[in-house]
């Protein structure tokens, strides 16, 4: 991986992506908590837009893929993960 300044190590890229994802989630879910029952689809789209913006600012030229990998397991809110 690299940006306009040169190579980025995988651990650094992962850390930056995680920080950006947390910030995007905090922004979107913080605003959504003011609604009685926000639609999950709208929350997902809002998260992707916020994440795309934050990651693009942190690593210019980065991309946010809008589809999940086939191996990704869905998370159902309110259920404990075994």
């Amino acid at each position: 991986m690299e940006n306009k300044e040169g190579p980025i190590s995988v651990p650094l890229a992962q850390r930056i992506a995680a920080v950006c994802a947390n910030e995007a989630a905090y922004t979107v879910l913080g605003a959504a908590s003011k609604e009685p029952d926000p639609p999950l689809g709208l929350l997902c789209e809002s998260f992707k837009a916020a994440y795309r913006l934050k990651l693009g600012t942190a690593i210019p030229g980065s991309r946010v893929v809008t589809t999940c990998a086939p191996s990704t397991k869905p998370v159902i809110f309110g259920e404990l993960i075994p």
Side-chain angles (χ1 to χ4, degrees):
M1 304 181 119
E2 61 182 67
N3 65 8
K4 64 182 180 180
E5 297 168 2
I8 298 174
S9 69
V10 171
L12 177 58
Q14 289 172 331
R15 191 181 79 212
I16 292 170
V19 167
C20 291
N22 285 338
E23 290 175 358
Y26 182 79
T27 300
V28 170
L29 297 176
S33 66
K34 297 177 174 105
E35 295 182 35
D37 227 358
L40 190 55
L42 291 178
L43 289 177
C44 184
E45 291 302 317
S46 295
F47 169 78
K48 287 190 286 189
Y51 182 48
R52 188 175 289 118
L53 180 66
K54 291 182 181 299
L55 189 61
T57 300
I59 305 174
S62 60
R63 295 173 304 196
V64 176
V65 182
T66 58
T67 56
C68 294
S71 61
T72 303
K73 295 180 181 170
V75 175
I76 300 172
F77 292 100
E79 290 187 12
L80 297 176
I81 300 172

